[in-house]
Amino acid sequence: MKTLFVFLFLALAALSYSQQFQRFGQTPLDGHYWDFQGNKHVGKLQVYCTTQMRAGSTIKFSEDGKKKQKLTKNQVKSFLIGQDSFALIQNFSPSKLAYYSTDFAKVIKVGAINLYVHTRRVTQSTGYYGVGMGVSSANILTENYVVRKSGNSSYIAIFNKKSFTKYFLPLIADFPLLHSKATTMKPREGLSSLWLLINEYNEFKKGNP
């Protein structure tokens, strides 16, 4: 029962996050950001996910009625919108063809394993017009989990069977019972249960550092 409650809570949180990110780029939202000197700046943030991996997320910020200014990743270490925190993560591949040197991701869980959700905009074909008319396409938002184990500087995107088996399972190998349970999961089940697996692992590590 407890597991079901946690799963439903996390699923609702994910939905809320997805809806919030859909608003990014459309409406400035109340929030604040921290720069690399530790200074807090309060105002309105407008965040847009681009289709360019080199650019990643772009941020516009305004305060006290001043003109919006575009912020770079050299200026923003982390930011908060509503109750959602976002941090700058580095050197990760959210798909076989995509790579980011740096970009922002929502902080989901902090502990022995940190869990993030990275959102990016991708171009997807929506259909074929006809002979000589080409193919239609649209930009859509897609999300991927990214993990980082405490004490390790590597950020790893978990998005398919290979990344789950090759990269995630070794992270929980020191919790044999959980590792055994995760190993028997089908790929889709493992990915959809990642929240719960990390939550269980983090709870275990609190008593077994």
Side-chain angles (χ1 to χ4, degrees):
M1 187 68 177
K2 181 179 179 182
T3 300
L4 177 60
F5 174 78
V6 173
F7 176 77
L8 290 175
F9 173 79
L10 292 174
L12 288 172
L15 178 60
S16 174
Y17 164 63
S18 178
Q19 292 172 338
Q20 171 110 308
F21 228 107
Q22 288 287 352
R23 295 165 59 197
F24 281 14
Q26 300 177 20
T27 306
L29 304 173
D30 291 330
H32 55 264
Y33 78 89
W34 286 271
D35 61 29
F36 283 89
Q37 288 71 48
N39 300 311
K40 179 180 177 181
H41 304 263
V42 180
K44 291 185 178 293
L45 290 158
Q46 192 170 4
V47 184
Y48 183 78
C49 300
T50 72
T51 57
Q52 300 176 9
M53 286 178 283
R54 182 174 297 179
S57 304
T58 61
I59 300 175
K60 290 184 178 180
F61 176 76
S62 61
E63 57 181 337
D64 299 329
K66 296 179 182 178
K67 184 179 180 180
K68 290 180 184 178
Q69 57 176 315
K70 185 176 180 180
L71 302 176
T72 70
K73 297 184 182 70
N74 294 326
Q75 296 172 283
V76 181
K77 185 176 183 180
S78 60
F79 65 90
L80 183 144
I81 294 180
Q83 299 299 313
D84 297 329
S85 297
F86 298 80
L88 197 62
I89 63 175
Q90 303 171 337
N91 301 321
F92 63 99
S93 297
S95 75
K96 294 179 180 179
L97 301 177
Y99 169 79
Y100 289 81
S101 58
T102 59
D103 203 10
F104 292 101
K106 185 186 176 186
V107 181
I108 304 298
K109 189 72 177 177
V110 175
I113 296 178
N114 296 334
L115 176 64
Y116 309 86
V117 170
H118 177 255
T119 302
R120 60 195 176 99
R121 193 176 296 273
V122 299
T123 302
Q124 187 176 71
S125 173
T126 58
Y128 182 61
Y129 285 129
V131 178
M133 299 180 66
V135 178
S136 61
S137 62
N139 291 331
I140 63 170
L141 293 177
T142 184
E143 299 172 347
N144 293 102
Y145 290 124
V146 179
V147 300
R148 182 179 68 84
K149 195 162 186 177
S150 181
N152 193 317
S153 60
S154 299
Y155 293 90
I156 305 169
I158 309 298
F159 58 91
N160 59 13
K161 178 181 178 180
K162 181 179 179 180
S163 58
F164 181 81
T165 303
K166 185 176 180 179
Y167 299 114
F168 178 71
L169 289 181
L171 297 181
I172 60 172
D174 55 342
F175 186 0
L177 185 62
L178 183 66
H179 183 269
S180 177
K181 180 172 72 172
T183 300
T184 61
M185 289 181 172
K186 294 181 179 180
R188 181 173 294 182
E189 181 186 5
L191 290 173
S192 64
S193 301
L194 198 65
W195 298 60
L196 294 174
L197 293 172
I198 290 177
N199 190 65
E200 190 172 345
Y201 179 81
N202 286 350
E203 289 300 315
F204 166 77
K205 292 299 289 184
K206 287 180 181 179
N208 302 270

